Amino acid sequence: LPQTTLTLEPPFPEIFTGETVTLRCGVEGGSAGWKYLWYKDSEDTPVLQTAGRSITGDSYTITAAAVSDQGQYCCRGQRGDQPLYSHLSDKVILTVSELPKAVLTSSPQWGELYTGETVTLSCGVEGRFTGWRYLWYKSSQEGTVKIRDTTGASYTLSSVTQSHSGQYLCEAQRGDRPRSSQRSDPVTLTVSGEFINTMDVPNMPCFFIYPELPKAVLTSSPEWGELYTGETVTLSCGVEGRFTDWEYLWYKSSQGGTVKIRDTTGASYTLSSVTQSHSGQYQCEAQRGDRPRSSQRSDPVTLTVSELPQTTLTLDPPFPEIFTGETVSLRCGVEGGSAGWKYLWYKDSEDTPVLQTADRSITGDSYTITAAAVSDQGQYWCRGQKGGQPLYSQHSDPVILNITAGKPKPVLTRVPAREIFEGDTVTLSCVVEGGSDGWRYLWYKDSRETSAPQTDSSSGTGAGYTISAAALSHSGEYWCRAGRGSKPFNSQYSNAVNIQVSKRPQAVLTQEPAWTQIYESETVTLRCKVPGDYTEWRFTWYKAGRKVPATQDYYSSIDGDRYTISSATRDHSGKYTCQGVRTGNPSYSKTSIALTLRVSELPQTTLTLEPPFPEIFTGETVTLRCGVEVGSAGWKYLWYKDSEDTPVLQTAGRSITGDSYTITAAAVSDQGQYCCRGQRGDQPLYSQLSDKVILTVSGEFTQLNADSSYRSCAPFLNDQLPPTLQNKLSCHLVKGTLFPLHNALTGREGDLTPSTIRPLSQRDRDTL
């Protein structure tokens, strides 16, 4: 029977919890057909097989070793249906040790801290192993997070806040086995919380957990932080809460930094007869022998020490001239703020107090005259005073109050002063002599009781009233007056100014020639005139209602009052307007009424025959009539026979009149093809050539009277006709055929036509 060998991978004499280890079994002579049986601590006890302990082929693997996996292991092979077993392997001892554990301590040891204190956490690993580096963790209600800013054996929290509260843990790692330690037990730090009473719990001390260190409170007397040289201020420091026996530290901050004031530890600090060097921020802090050993530092109190302040005197309203009856206030201000100041007032000298009467009163920082009189005119001063042993500001510069007797009368002017036309802009200006300070202006039209209208085209703004687009309704008389003050003081009315708005002349646009229809390539001229006495107009042309001048190009030109299109195209169709402009007044006319230009293709020509017989007999009268599509305005007509280049004859019996060519006694030579076309204009425009009309003229015309040899045919003709036409006919010999025809052929005696009578027989013709 073959020998069996058992080996350990990795071949460490000691395995640590959490590591992976594999035991490998082999049968002497090769592994073909063998499967393996595994035992622990005795030859009859099979190994455990769990999620972390598995047999695969010749291996038994423990993926996360535990102390319970420690023991003696052996194996053997088995093969065949009537199994053959190899010898049992020698035993292999697996030793599993716990990972060393990290130990976390804190200094100081109490877990209850005040904000601002410092605590150091220290981590170490028990046992013989060295070369550790440390990982730090903090747990709170939000979860556990790794502290990434340190790997040392200690972690110091300086000036703790409530956000540092939580459970802290550490863990160690190194490059060799064991590569990590167990995580330490937690250390809890509490920087905020509530009072906890544990007096009833044996061996448990009573302690307090405070939200934060008590805070020092700093106040000043007087309270204002703006001081002037020579004044005195006292700073007082106290600590909130139940703790006592405090000593106080004082600090001053300025641009040079923060320094400790070393000459006092009391609860108050007095600065007597301050100078500008005392300016800065002051703070205090408290200390004592027991916990809490210190307070938080107070919020700063800022002291600003200035030279005696300047005083400023202003006039309200700030008018250079006040009229009798107006209200005026003088307002006094001390540089750096008004806290604690009251004010003294002087007139005409720095030692003479102002009068105080029913109309002259002092309120706070103001001296108000409610109804100024000429006697109030003069120079005024003020200064500030504050404190029980009064501190005085410097005197203000003097302010001169000028009082003028009576009410001012504004001057009303008009721009432009020339004649005003519809659409012009005209501005009325109202000026109060002595300046426009503070005045509001009122405007009147047609009477002093009727306010001038405020509309889109006319409105008063400030000292001006503007009519932006004058209309005839704006004509009339205008006045203005001014007022100012919260209790309005009104000026007199101005003199009246008259505005007379004249009707603006309107341009008139005409067309030459005045045809309603223009055809392509024709020449047309638009002419603009402005009726009336004004001259020297220049004209601007517009098309399609757009404020864009009509195009001047190869086919169009502008010459004075004429806009000429020399060869019209359909693009020239549209509505045209014009406007006149000139240097004088009026400077422009109203725009003309639009003139519509219609440009069409060359017109069709129609030729008709009157009467419309397909055949004309010699001696008859016939008229050819020519017509141009959409009207005959301006057209004369050209006539052609047999070709488009051969004009018709004009003789005594052949004449052209208007749209007609008349042949009064047709001859066979008049037979042929006729056409016509229209022509108009100086550079003539020709219509399209008409369709051809064929004129057929038939033979000589012979008449046999009923009183001659013609009688012999009458009985025959009478037999063929109604009784009303018997004895009233002629016989016409045309081209060798005899036709009985109506006596007049014009239908005056009935509806009989040649086509209703059959030709005579040869016998009848011979008889005739």
Side-chain angles (χ1 to χ4, degrees):
L1 289 175
Q3 296 293 324
T4 306
T5 305
L6 177 60
T7 56
L8 195 63
E9 295 179 3
F12 299 149
E14 183 180 23
I15 300 297
F16 293 97
T17 53
E19 290 187 306
T20 296
V21 64
T22 298
L23 294 102
R24 196 172 303 281
C25 194
V27 175
E28 183 181 27
S31 59
W34 294 100
K35 62 179 180 179
Y36 298 92
L37 306 175
W38 298 86
Y39 307 93
K40 179 177 181 283
D41 294 334
S42 79
E43 299 175 4
D44 300 324
T45 306
V47 294
L48 292 172
Q49 292 191 66
T50 65
R53 297 165 183 84
S54 60
I55 296 171
T56 306
D58 62 353
S59 300
Y60 175 62
T61 301
I62 301 168
T63 55
V67 173
S68 61
D69 293 312
Q70 183 170 288
Q72 291 183 337
Y73 289 81
C74 61
C75 70
R76 65 177 173 179
Q78 168 194 319
R79 77 176 179 183
D81 296 330
Q82 296 179 346
L84 170 72
Y85 295 96
S86 70
H87 287 292
L88 202 66
S89 72
D90 293 333
K91 292 180 173 60
V92 168
I93 297 173
L94 180 63
T95 301
V96 181
S97 301
E98 290 279 2
L99 287 172
K101 186 168 184 175
V103 177
L104 179 60
T105 59
S106 67
S107 177
Q109 292 185 358
W110 55 78
E112 297 80 41
L113 299 169
Y114 295 99
T115 55
E117 290 189 307
T118 297
V119 63
T120 298
L121 302 174
S122 298
C123 191
V125 179
E126 301 169 336
R128 68 187 186 279
F129 302 106
T130 59
W132 297 102
R133 60 187 182 86
Y134 297 90
L135 305 177
W136 295 87
Y137 302 89
K138 179 189 173 192
S139 297
S140 62
Q141 291 180 347
E142 289 77 22
T144 300
V145 295
K146 185 178 179 181
I147 299 170
R148 300 185 181 278
D149 57 355
T150 182
T151 58
S154 64
Y155 178 52
T156 299
L157 300 171
S158 301
S159 190
V160 295
T161 66
Q162 292 179 0
S163 64
H164 290 104
S165 295
Q167 286 189 331
Y168 290 79
L169 304 95
C170 70
E171 179 184 333
Q173 291 182 346
R174 68 190 200 117
D176 201 359
R177 299 179 62 249
R179 297 187 180 277
S180 65
S181 71
Q182 297 182 60
R183 193 169 289 185
S184 71
D185 294 331
V187 167
T188 300
L189 299 183
T190 304
V191 188
S192 63
E194 300 175 352
F195 171 72
I196 300 175
N197 185 353
T198 60
M199 295 179 65
D200 297 330
V201 181
N203 302 318
M204 179 66 73
C206 175
F207 61 90
F208 290 87
I209 301 174
Y210 294 96
E212 55 187 9
L213 288 173
K215 186 169 183 177
V217 177
L218 179 59
T219 58
S220 68
S221 178
E223 292 183 1
W224 53 78
E226 294 83 18
L227 300 169
Y228 296 99
T229 53
E231 288 192 294
T232 296
V233 63
T234 297
L235 302 174
S236 298
C237 190
V239 178
E240 301 168 334
R242 63 188 181 83
F243 302 105
T244 58
D245 300 327
W246 296 102
E247 288 185 353
Y248 296 91
L249 305 178
W250 294 87
Y251 302 90
K252 179 190 173 192
S253 298
S254 61
Q255 291 181 347
T258 301
V259 295
K260 184 177 179 182
I261 300 170
R262 300 185 182 279
D263 56 357
T264 183
T265 58
S268 64
Y269 179 51
T270 299
L271 299 171
S272 301
S273 191
V274 295
T275 65
Q276 288 181 306
S277 65
H278 289 104
S279 296
Q281 286 189 332
Y282 290 80
Q283 291 175 283
C284 68
E285 182 182 332
Q287 292 184 345
R288 68 189 200 120
D290 199 0
R291 297 183 71 231
R293 297 184 181 279
S294 65
S295 71
Q296 296 183 63
R297 192 169 290 186
S298 71
D299 293 332
V301 167
T302 301
L303 299 182
T304 303
V305 182
S306 306
E307 293 291 341
L308 282 177
Q310 297 289 329
T311 308
T312 304
L313 178 59
T314 56
L315 201 59
D316 184 18
F319 304 150
E321 184 178 23
I322 301 296
F323 295 93
T324 53
E326 281 196 285
T327 295
V328 64
S329 291
L330 294 104
R331 200 172 302 281
C332 195
V334 174
E335 183 182 27
S338 59
W341 292 99
K342 64 180 182 179
Y343 298 92
L344 306 176
W345 299 87
Y346 308 92
K347 178 177 182 286
D348 295 332
S349 78
E350 297 180 0
D351 300 325
T352 305
V354 294
L355 290 174
Q356 293 192 64
T357 66
D359 295 332
R360 298 166 184 82
S361 59
I362 296 172
T363 304
D365 61 353
S366 301
Y367 175 63
T368 301
I369 302 169
T370 55
V374 174
S375 60
D376 291 311
Q377 181 166 294
Q379 285 188 327
Y380 289 80
W381 292 263
C382 71
R383 64 174 175 170
Q385 169 195 318
K386 76 173 180 177
Q389 296 179 346
L391 171 73
Y392 294 96
S393 70
Q394 299 180 47
H395 274 87
S396 70
D397 291 332
V399 166
I400 297 174
L401 184 61
N402 293 312
I403 308 293
T404 300
K407 290 186 175 184
K409 184 173 183 177
V411 176
L412 180 60
T413 56
R414 188 189 87 181
V415 175
R418 58 169 173 75
E419 183 181 4
I420 304 298
F421 288 90
E422 290 175 303
D424 279 346
T425 295
V426 60
T427 298
L428 300 174
S429 297
C430 192
V431 177
V432 176
E433 294 180 357
S436 59
D437 300 86
W439 293 107
R440 302 180 302 277
Y441 295 88
L442 305 173
W443 299 90
Y444 305 90
K445 180 178 183 287
D446 297 331
S447 78
R448 294 180 180 180
E449 287 75 34
T450 305
S451 295
Q454 301 282 334
T455 66
D456 290 341
S457 62
S458 58
S459 61
T461 303
Y465 181 79
T466 299
I467 301 170
S468 57
L472 298 178
S473 60
H474 288 114
S475 297
E477 284 190 319
Y478 290 79
W479 293 264
C480 73
R481 69 170 174 169
R484 67 183 182 185
S486 56
K487 295 180 180 179
F489 172 81
N490 292 325
S491 71
Q492 300 180 57
Y493 286 95
S494 70
N495 292 332
V497 165
N498 185 65
I499 293 178
Q500 185 62 45
V501 181
S502 300
K503 193 168 184 178
R504 185 174 295 278
Q506 183 169 19
V508 176
L509 181 59
T510 57
Q511 176 185 321
E512 298 175 359
W515 300 325
T516 57
Q517 186 67 51
I518 302 296
Y519 297 97
E520 289 180 328
S521 79
E522 278 196 292
T523 296
V524 63
T525 296
L526 303 180
R527 187 169 185 182
C528 192
K529 289 187 176 296
V530 179
D533 298 332
Y534 303 106
T535 59
E536 299 182 1
W537 292 100
R538 304 181 305 280
F539 296 96
T540 305
W541 302 85
Y542 302 94
K543 181 185 175 189
R546 291 176 286 116
K547 293 292 184 181
V548 177
T551 304
Q552 182 170 271
D553 54 26
Y554 180 77
Y555 295 108
S556 60
S557 61
I558 296 172
D559 182 12
D561 63 350
R562 289 174 168 81
Y563 177 64
T564 299
I565 300 170
S566 58
S567 180
T569 67
R570 278 189 281 183
D571 289 340
H572 289 105
S573 296
K575 291 186 177 182
Y576 289 78
T577 55
C578 68
Q579 184 183 35
V581 294
R582 59 193 294 271
T583 302
N585 187 43
S587 59
Y588 66 94
S589 72
K590 286 184 180 179
T591 302
S592 69
I593 296 172
L595 185 150
T596 301
L597 192 64
R598 297 181 179 87
V599 181
S600 303
E601 292 181 343
L602 289 177
Q604 298 290 329
T605 309
T606 303
L607 178 59
T608 57
L609 196 62
E610 295 179 4
F613 299 153
E615 184 178 23
I616 300 297
F617 295 98
T618 55
E620 287 190 297
T621 295
V622 64
T623 297
L624 294 102
R625 197 173 303 280
C626 193
V628 175
E629 183 182 28
V630 302
S632 59
W635 293 100
K636 62 182 180 179
Y637 297 91
L638 305 178
W639 300 86
Y640 307 93
K641 179 174 180 289
D642 295 331
S643 81
E644 298 174 4
D645 300 323
T646 306
V648 296
L649 291 173
Q650 292 191 64
T651 64
R654 298 167 183 83
S655 61
I656 296 172
T657 304
D659 62 351
S660 300
Y661 177 62
T662 301
I663 303 171
T664 55
V668 173
S669 62
D670 291 314
Q671 181 169 291
Q673 291 184 333
Y674 288 81
C675 61
C676 69
R677 64 177 172 181
Q679 167 193 318
R680 73 176 183 184
D682 296 330
Q683 297 177 341
L685 170 76
Y686 296 96
S687 70
Q688 298 184 49
L689 205 65
S690 71
D691 292 335
K692 292 180 173 59
V693 168
I694 298 175
L695 181 63
T696 302
V697 181
S698 296
E700 291 292 332
F701 180 83
T702 303
Q703 180 171 330
L704 299 177
N705 293 325
D707 296 335
S708 62
S709 60
Y710 163 71
R711 276 185 199 278
S712 60
C713 74
F716 179 80
L717 294 177
N718 287 340
D719 290 341
Q720 299 182 65
L721 298 176
T724 56
L725 297 180
Q726 291 177 6
N727 301 317
K728 296 181 180 180
L729 296 178
S730 300
C731 288
H732 289 230
L733 184 63
V734 180
K735 295 183 179 178
T737 302
L738 193 64
F739 287 88
L741 299 176
H742 187 278
N743 194 27
L745 287 179
T746 61
R748 287 195 298 266
E749 293 190 18
D751 295 326
L752 185 63
T753 64
S755 62
T756 62
I757 301 176
R758 65 176 177 80
L760 298 175
S761 66
Q762 183 61 45
R763 183 173 59 85
D764 294 331
R765 290 200 299 275
D766 292 340
T767 301
L768 287 174

